[in-house]
Amino acid sequence: MSGRSGRAGAKAVSGGGGSGRDRVSVQEGPSGGRDAGGSGPRRRGRRPCRRLRNQAGQFISVVTVFEAQGAPSGGQDGSGPGTRRRGRPPRKHRRKKVAVTTEVTLFEMVALGKNSVQQTAVEEWVRSYREDRELALLDLISFFVQCCGCEGMVTAELYQSNEGKNVVHKMTERFDQETGLYYKKFLAYPWILTIMWPEKLQNDFYPIVGPGPFWKRFRGNFCEFTELLVHQTHSSVLCDGHLMDTVIGMLSGLTNSAVYSLRHTSSLAAMKLLTALASVNQGICTGRRTAQRLYEIESITKLKGRHKYYMELLDQRRHQFQNKPMAIDNIICALFKRTFVPRYRDVSSDIRVICMGELGCWIRLYPDLFLDNNYLKYIGWMLYDKDASVRMKCILALKALYEKRESAMKLGLFFYKFKKRILSMTQDRQPEITSECMQLLRLISEHYVGVFSTMEYVFLFQFVYAAYRPMATAAGELICKRLLAPPPPEGFFAQEPPDEFDRNLQNMKALIDFYLQGEFHRHVPYLVDGLWEAAPALVRNWECMTALLLEPRGGRQALTGQQERVLIEILVAAVRQAAEGRPPAGRRLGKKAAREVDGTRRWREHAHMSRHFAKVLPQLLSKFAADKEKVTPLLQIPQYCNLDVYDMDGLGSYLDAALLELDCLVQRHSDVAVLEACARAYGTYCDEGGSAHGQAAPACSRLVDMLVDTLTPLLDVFIQHEKQGLFLGHGEMGRICSTLRRLAAFYSAHDLSSWNLYEKMDSLLTFRRHQGSLPTEVVHCALQCTYYALLWQIVAATDRLPPQEALLDLRKRLMRFCLVCRVYLNHQSKVLSEKAFILLCDLLLILSHQGPEEDTGLGLLFFVPDHVLQCKLLTFVKEHVFLEEAGAAGPSRVYKEEDADELHELFHRRNMLAVFCKLIVCNVLEMSAAADIYQFYLKVSAWSPVPAARAHPPPPTALLSLPSLWGHHQGDHDADEAERQASQRAVPPPVSAAAVPEARGHVRHGLRPHRVHLRPLLLHPAAGSPLRAHPRL
């Protein structure tokens, strides 16, 4: 390419002997600057910027920067080096300003990242386009090619279509092995462009994907420049029939390239051009409609005076907008067909994301053209894309359309065509897509009546229990919109003012019925968390929930027993979340987690909740005192409340009432769950430093005194009767058991060492070991109380180191308790043996971490089990955890509500296995125990349809389990060999191995054909492959 080196009116003078791109030139007066003598018009504002052409023919921006010449340095005049003159220097010593002109290409100006610079670049390019259209277009093409990362050159040969040349053969893309350059030819009328670039871009780098903040800004500047180009030319040269034809030809040629950098950059440029064209055309259409409306209004009013002149202006404006939208529509359709249609199914997901994201913008910006099934179908098709980011762009585009009712009403046919796919995307593997899809379905349900069936709503409602919190919140919003009653109409036509309290009562009943009737997971905390942001006026309305619970039987708003139980669970879950401020365990937050509520607001809400329950809790405990399933959750409320409200608000009488109700519950119930809940509630009230400690601590002490005073004479009478061979009645034995359960429950939350219960429990266990006549339940409670007593003594020794004699005495007690638990491991009662196993494992775990193995301090309490005790623990696990009959149903069995006992038994066995495995993890037991556990795990997994190869044991565990596996295999092999020899003596000789070729390998190894040799089962550990289960296991 060749071009002029400058314009008339500007002179370029080389300075310093250099020939680079920076030149010093004296700008003459008409150019907008000052001359060398300082005369001429002075221009304020931004720097003068002119468009010239360099020697290569490219248009450049000449940026003028004023520099000083001839001024002394340091502000000194010519009078001497040591003198300094204040004020303005004389004219002969003033700094002379010389303009430095710097050539900056379009690419460099876009890279600067300043809006004013880009605006100037576009304006100068438009001016140069009007002067020399071909060279300006080549400059623009070079800019786009340079943005693609090509460091080569662009050449152009003129194409004359009327001579009948075969252009198809010129459209090539090939590699020259001699030069190591790629050549691409394509048509951009009136030229055939040839682009050359190296075989491999440096580090696969090109500007729009470059790393770092600079290249990220460049991508935004590149998109902004493309849009500015359209906005600056739409009223002048955009529709001249030459500019956009050349640009479309250039972009379509680049988008069809096999080189990813060309295809990616040109696709981005084409999509941004389409976005700008859609925005401009929508503005023109809006202006045309406004002008037409004004013209019609003016023609009706017929104002005097200026009426005729104003009508002419409006008519001129109408005709101005008449043909331009049609011309831009033709450009949009041509660019859409030649760039979007080939690229929306590109192999690169990045290009597909760009296409789908911009298509959503076009439909939103220019619905008159794009809000049509001919364009919407592309979004529907790409909902099936394998890449998650593409599917996300499609869902976001549809969501933006359904947020406006005008556009949503035109999407009915589209939704019914792709309804099944959108519903299935609620189970997408990407949780972000599922939450956005659920919000889209909620918007759809608001616009269309009867769009979903009852079963489809049931399917959508169940996602309120999802593990991903944004998904659960979106499902909660759908439940609020479709299940709960909407607020009544307000205003002039309302019959009566809305009763918000009654409406909340009805909504709460509907929510309870939804939970009871739905065949979903029974997880109330997940339901509450799903509605926490969607329905705060419902799940945080403490007055409404407690009013429903306190409604008398037979009242207008009375609930059934099952509904009361569910409402209590909802109430307790809401109280917990309000106090802790976090979702339940197992629920994952989104990437963009919601900003926490203001601390002051949260403190006020928590204080309001605490004051309310300080007044209402005694009434709730009194009403549901007889029902253990309802009163147990209610006893958790005090630990989530701020108990300082009793002193600050003068609520001491309510505290006395709550303590009285707790005392009555302890004396009334003997269930372990209720008693432990009461003990924890007492522990909350008795917290040192709290305002309730002064009243709660004496009440708790009086209750424990009463229990100990009741137990002591009963134990004395019982031991005397047992020594004499007599038996206590069932009433006295029941009183002993109930009292022991109460004391064990309080021992779990309170230090009862001052009542010296350890001596009484130790005497019971010693008596049982020697006499052997204590009931199982008595021994069970005695073991539990002894365990808690020892734990409190260990805690006291850890907080304050006692003398060595006290530590030795504590060690003797611990060893005695370990011996007692070891004896009870073989007890005939399953409940007692399992309890002894759990207590022994927990105590071993605690003692193994008390200190170093030394003879002073806490090291005296250090203890690890010997080999005999380890073998007994492992034998217990084999007999009580890995049961062979458990494999009949299989681990994949689905348990129902009627299988509650079996499910509880399964959880109990898992708990025992977890306790034992903790000892292995903490190095309390040897690693060989883990090998045995893994062997039994393979045995149980073999009964499951899930392949056991999914288990990934550590290499040492797998290697240690091999000897045991080999022993079992060897035993099976010996039995099979004996059976085979016996059958050979009893029956005629079998068929030769040649007749059964598939069995030769097995016969050589002495095995039956259906056996598998052990050696192939062990894969090399370095390969990372798991050890597969043996078929016999």
Side-chain angles (χ1 to χ4, degrees):
M1 287 182 290
S2 63
R4 293 169 295 180
S5 60
R7 293 182 184 176
K11 297 180 180 180
V13 181
S14 60
S19 61
R21 298 178 64 178
D22 293 336
R23 297 174 298 176
V24 178
S25 64
V26 179
Q27 300 292 330
E28 296 182 354
S31 65
R34 281 189 170 187
D35 56 6
S39 61
R42 184 174 183 178
R43 184 178 178 181
R44 298 184 180 272
R46 63 186 182 187
R47 294 173 179 174
C49 180
R50 303 186 59 194
R51 294 285 292 173
L52 303 176
R53 292 190 185 95
N54 57 12
Q55 295 179 358
Q58 292 178 323
F59 278 99
I60 58 174
S61 294
V62 180
V63 181
T64 304
V65 181
F66 292 103
E67 292 186 356
Q69 288 186 357
S73 61
Q76 298 175 353
D77 56 7
S79 60
T83 61
R84 183 180 183 91
R85 181 177 178 181
R86 295 188 178 184
R88 189 174 181 181
R91 181 177 296 273
K92 64 178 182 179
H93 295 300
R94 291 180 187 173
R95 299 166 64 91
K96 297 181 180 180
K97 296 182 178 180
V98 179
V100 179
T101 305
T102 304
E103 299 179 5
V104 183
T105 62
L106 276 178
F107 181 84
E108 294 169 345
M109 295 188 72
V110 170
L112 290 177
K114 296 181 179 180
N115 296 333
S116 59
V117 175
Q118 294 194 47
Q119 186 81 14
T120 304
V122 173
E123 292 175 357
E124 294 294 335
W125 184 89
V126 172
R127 188 179 300 113
S128 64
Y129 177 83
R130 290 170 178 170
E131 295 177 1
D132 194 336
R133 186 168 62 184
E134 286 75 15
L135 288 178
L137 285 175
L138 284 178
D139 187 21
L140 184 63
I141 292 172
S142 300
F143 163 72
F144 282 111
V145 172
Q146 191 175 3
C147 291
C148 294
C150 297
E151 299 177 357
M153 58 183 300
V154 181
T155 62
E157 54 181 298
L158 193 62
Y159 163 66
Q160 300 293 339
S161 60
N162 52 6
E163 295 184 5
K165 295 183 179 180
N166 192 355
V167 185
V168 178
H169 293 292
K170 294 180 179 294
M171 305 300 105
T172 58
E173 183 171 332
R174 60 189 178 86
F175 173 67
D176 190 352
Q177 295 183 355
E178 296 181 359
T179 60
L181 297 176
Y182 267 106
Y183 290 83
K184 178 174 178 59
K185 284 188 176 183
F186 59 92
L187 176 64
Y189 188 83
W191 304 288
I192 296 176
L193 298 177
T194 303
I195 302 176
M196 294 172 287
W197 68 94
E199 178 184 2
K200 274 192 175 183
L201 298 177
Q202 185 178 2
N203 299 326
D204 295 332
F205 166 83
Y206 53 100
I208 66 171
V209 297
F214 176 80
W215 294 113
K216 290 182 180 179
R217 287 195 301 270
F218 177 83
R219 179 184 175 115
N221 298 335
F222 173 73
C223 299
E224 184 181 355
F225 172 81
T226 308
E227 296 176 357
L228 276 176
L229 185 64
V230 174
H231 286 284
Q232 291 292 331
T233 59
H234 79 275
S235 59
S236 55
V237 298
L238 183 67
C239 301
D240 62 350
H242 186 78
L243 171 61
M244 291 310 299
D245 289 346
T246 304
V247 172
I248 291 174
M250 181 264 300
L251 291 178
S252 62
L254 292 178
T255 53
N256 292 326
S257 173
V259 181
Y260 178 67
S261 62
L262 300 181
R263 202 168 67 250
H264 187 195
T265 307
S266 58
S267 299
L268 177 62
M271 299 305 113
K272 290 299 180 181
L273 272 177
L274 271 169
T275 303
L277 288 169
S279 176
V280 166
N281 214 21
Q282 179 62 22
I284 294 174
C285 292
T286 303
R288 182 180 60 180
R289 287 192 294 266
T290 303
Q292 180 66 28
R293 189 164 56 251
L294 290 175
Y295 183 83
E296 294 174 355
I297 295 174
E298 188 69 21
S299 62
I300 294 173
T301 56
K302 294 183 179 180
L303 297 175
K304 296 181 180 180
R306 298 175 55 191
H307 171 67
K308 185 177 179 180
Y309 174 73
Y310 194 51
M311 288 290 292
E312 291 178 357
L313 288 178
L314 291 177
D315 187 57
Q316 182 182 359
R317 188 176 180 185
R318 277 196 314 156
H319 289 295
Q320 181 184 359
F321 291 126
Q322 194 69 31
N323 298 323
K324 188 169 291 186
M326 186 177 298
I328 296 180
D329 283 348
N330 295 333
I331 296 174
I332 289 175
C333 293
L335 189 58
F336 182 86
K337 291 178 181 178
R338 297 183 63 177
T339 57
F340 178 87
V341 174
R343 295 277 68 82
Y344 84 97
R345 294 179 299 177
D346 195 275
V347 67
S348 171
S349 62
D350 295 335
I351 297 178
R352 300 199 302 272
V353 166
I354 292 172
C355 292
M356 289 300 106
E358 296 303 319
L359 178 57
C361 293
W362 306 336
I363 300 174
R364 190 171 64 254
L365 291 174
Y366 193 17
D368 296 343
L369 176 65
F370 287 102
L371 192 56
D372 186 78
N373 291 324
N374 292 328
Y375 297 97
L376 291 171
K377 64 183 180 182
Y378 296 105
I379 294 181
W381 292 341
M382 298 310 288
L383 289 174
Y384 296 88
D385 195 274
K386 63 181 180 180
D387 191 81
S389 56
V390 180
R391 299 195 301 272
M392 174 65 83
K393 285 292 182 181
C394 295
I395 291 294
L396 293 177
L398 291 175
K399 182 182 172 184
L401 295 177
Y402 276 103
E403 286 177 350
K404 298 181 180 180
R405 187 168 182 82
E406 296 80 8
S407 58
M409 291 297 101
K410 301 178 182 179
L411 296 173
L413 181 61
F414 168 83
F415 175 70
Y416 282 106
K417 187 175 181 180
F418 296 100
K419 173 182 176 181
K420 185 177 180 181
R421 174 56 183 164
I422 295 176
L423 284 173
S424 66
M425 290 183 70
T426 55
Q427 297 176 308
D428 198 277
R429 286 182 292 181
Q430 295 295 327
E432 294 83 5
I433 296 179
T434 61
S435 61
E436 295 294 340
C437 185
M438 182 60 67
Q439 295 180 20
L440 172 63
L441 291 171
R442 177 183 59 81
L443 293 173
I444 293 173
S445 66
E446 294 177 1
H447 294 303
Y448 303 136
V449 178
V451 66
F452 298 120
S453 63
T454 303
M455 295 304 298
E456 289 171 342
Y457 273 121
V458 170
F459 169 74
L460 296 176
F461 289 162
Q462 68 175 339
F463 290 102
V464 75
Y465 299 99
Y468 188 61
R469 197 182 190 218
M471 177 64 171
T473 303
E477 293 175 356
L478 181 63
I479 290 174
C480 294
K481 294 291 184 180
R482 307 304 306 176
L483 185 65
L484 305 181
E490 299 181 5
F492 179 77
F493 295 100
Q495 298 295 331
E496 59 183 6
D499 191 348
E500 183 179 358
F501 187 77
D502 289 341
R503 187 173 68 251
N504 287 332
L505 291 180
Q506 296 300 326
N507 290 343
M508 185 58 67
K509 286 186 177 181
L511 182 62
I512 295 171
D513 293 337
F514 160 75
Y515 177 80
L516 291 174
Q517 296 172 6
E519 298 178 358
F520 306 138
H521 304 285
R522 300 298 184 183
H523 297 304
V524 173
Y526 283 79
L527 175 63
V528 172
D529 183 63
L531 298 171
W532 193 255
E533 302 294 339
L538 183 63
V539 295
R540 307 184 203 180
N541 196 335
W542 320 116
E543 292 80 5
C544 173
M545 289 187 277
T546 53
L548 273 176
L549 290 174
L550 294 176
E551 183 75 17
R553 301 290 181 182
R556 183 172 61 92
Q557 301 289 351
L559 302 176
T560 62
Q562 195 174 15
Q563 288 176 335
E564 289 177 344
R565 180 180 57 81
V566 175
L567 181 55
I568 288 175
E569 293 181 6
I570 293 175
L571 174 65
V572 175
V575 168
R576 183 202 64 80
Q577 186 146 349
E580 296 180 353
R582 62 174 183 268
R587 175 155 281 178
R588 295 181 290 116
L589 297 175
K591 292 182 178 179
K592 296 181 180 179
R595 187 168 51 91
E596 285 196 17
V597 185
D598 182 43
T600 305
R601 177 186 170 188
R602 183 178 172 185
W603 178 83
R604 290 176 180 175
E605 291 180 355
H606 188 252
H608 170 69
M609 181 191 73
S610 302
R611 283 192 296 270
H612 176 75
F613 282 104
K615 300 176 183 178
V616 177
L617 185 60
Q619 304 176 38
L620 294 174
L621 295 178
S622 176
K623 181 177 179 180
F624 300 106
D627 195 335
K628 63 180 182 181
E629 293 183 356
K630 297 175 184 178
V631 77
T632 302
L634 290 174
L635 291 170
Q636 302 176 19
I637 293 179
Q639 61 182 321
Y640 301 119
C641 294
N642 183 13
L643 302 183
D644 293 336
V645 297
Y646 287 110
D647 276 352
M648 293 186 297
D649 298 340
L651 303 177
S653 60
Y654 293 101
L655 176 60
D656 294 333
L659 295 174
L660 182 60
E661 294 296 334
L662 285 178
D663 187 88
C664 295
L665 287 173
V666 171
Q667 298 183 25
R668 183 171 187 171
H669 289 276
S670 60
D671 185 74
V672 177
V674 179
L675 294 175
E676 290 181 351
C678 291
R680 286 192 293 270
Y682 266 115
T684 303
Y685 285 120
C686 296
D687 186 19
E688 294 184 3
S691 60
H693 176 76
Q695 295 174 256
C700 183
S701 298
R702 287 193 298 268
L703 181 59
V704 176
D705 286 335
M706 182 192 67
L707 294 175
V708 173
D709 294 342
T710 304
L711 179 65
T712 302
L714 289 174
L715 287 181
D716 294 339
V717 173
F718 171 74
I719 293 176
Q720 291 179 4
H721 279 67
E722 290 293 331
K723 290 180 178 180
Q724 297 174 5
L726 302 177
F727 297 96
L728 280 179
H730 292 288
E732 288 78 2
M733 188 57 65
R735 291 178 62 190
I736 292 176
C737 294
S738 62
T739 307
L740 283 175
R741 277 196 297 270
R742 292 182 176 91
L743 287 173
F746 271 83
Y747 228 147
S748 63
H750 302 267
D751 186 7
L752 307 182
S753 301
S754 57
W755 280 270
N756 198 17
L757 292 176
Y758 173 79
E759 301 297 337
K760 298 180 175 62
M761 299 302 108
D762 185 63
S763 62
L764 274 178
L765 295 177
T766 306
F767 180 82
R768 169 65 184 89
R769 191 171 51 181
H770 293 297
Q771 303 295 329
S773 59
L774 280 181
T776 301
E777 189 173 1
V778 175
V779 179
H780 186 279
C781 295
L783 282 173
Q784 192 73 55
C785 288
T786 307
Y787 173 73
Y788 287 138
L790 293 174
L791 287 187
W792 283 112
Q793 294 180 31
I794 293 175
V795 170
T798 305
D799 294 340
R800 185 176 181 180
L801 188 65
Q804 187 171 2
E805 293 78 10
L807 286 175
L808 291 174
D809 184 60
L810 178 57
R811 178 179 175 84
K812 291 179 182 179
R813 294 182 178 183
L814 292 170
M815 296 302 103
R816 188 184 305 123
F817 182 75
C818 291
L819 180 61
V820 170
C821 292
R822 182 174 175 177
V823 171
Y824 282 116
L825 287 177
N826 300 325
H827 197 273
Q828 58 184 359
S829 174
K830 181 181 178 181
V831 176
L832 196 56
S833 60
E834 291 178 352
K835 188 66 177 178
F837 173 79
I838 294 176
L839 294 179
L840 179 58
C841 291
D842 287 343
L843 190 60
L844 289 175
L845 184 63
I846 294 172
L847 295 181
S848 64
H849 290 76
Q850 285 306 312
E853 192 174 1
E854 55 187 23
D855 297 336
T856 58
L858 291 178
L860 293 174
L861 305 180
F862 182 81
F863 174 73
V864 291
D866 54 5
H867 182 70
V868 178
L869 182 56
Q870 293 187 31
C871 292
K872 290 182 73 67
L873 294 175
L874 182 59
T875 303
F876 182 88
V877 172
K878 294 178 182 179
E879 295 176 353
H880 292 78
V881 176
F882 295 103
L883 305 179
E884 293 187 2
E885 56 269 18
S892 61
R893 172 184 172 184
V894 178
Y895 288 89
K896 301 180 180 179
E897 291 186 1
E898 53 268 19
D899 303 327
D901 295 337
E902 296 185 34
L903 194 59
H904 178 74
E905 177 65 22
L906 177 63
F907 288 157
H908 188 62
R909 287 164 50 200
R910 288 179 177 176
N911 186 29
M912 290 190 295
L913 180 60
V915 169
F916 183 79
C917 290
K918 281 195 295 185
L919 296 178
I920 301 175
V921 172
C922 297
N923 294 327
V924 180
L925 300 182
E926 298 176 357
M927 186 58 69
S928 58
D932 294 330
I933 292 298
Y934 181 65
Q935 172 190 347
F936 283 99
Y937 174 74
L938 292 179
K939 183 176 180 179
V940 176
S941 299
W943 294 321
S944 172
V946 182
R950 293 184 182 179
H952 295 271
T957 307
L959 294 177
L960 287 173
S961 62
L962 284 179
S964 180
L965 289 173
W966 174 255
H968 285 282
H969 173 73
Q970 190 66 30
D972 294 340
H973 169 62
D974 295 340
D976 293 339
E977 184 67 23
E979 182 181 354
R980 188 179 65 82
Q981 294 178 1
S983 62
Q984 286 179 354
R985 291 192 298 267
V987 298
V991 182
S992 63
V996 189
E998 64 272 13
R1000 289 180 181 176
H1002 301 289
V1003 173
R1004 275 201 304 268
H1005 290 289
L1007 299 175
R1008 291 185 177 181
H1010 69 275
R1011 299 293 185 191
V1012 181
H1013 199 265
L1014 182 63
R1015 185 176 181 181
L1017 299 180
L1018 179 61
L1019 303 180
H1020 197 275
S1025 301
L1027 184 67
R1028 292 179 292 176
H1030 193 274
R1032 290 288 301 210
L1033 297 179

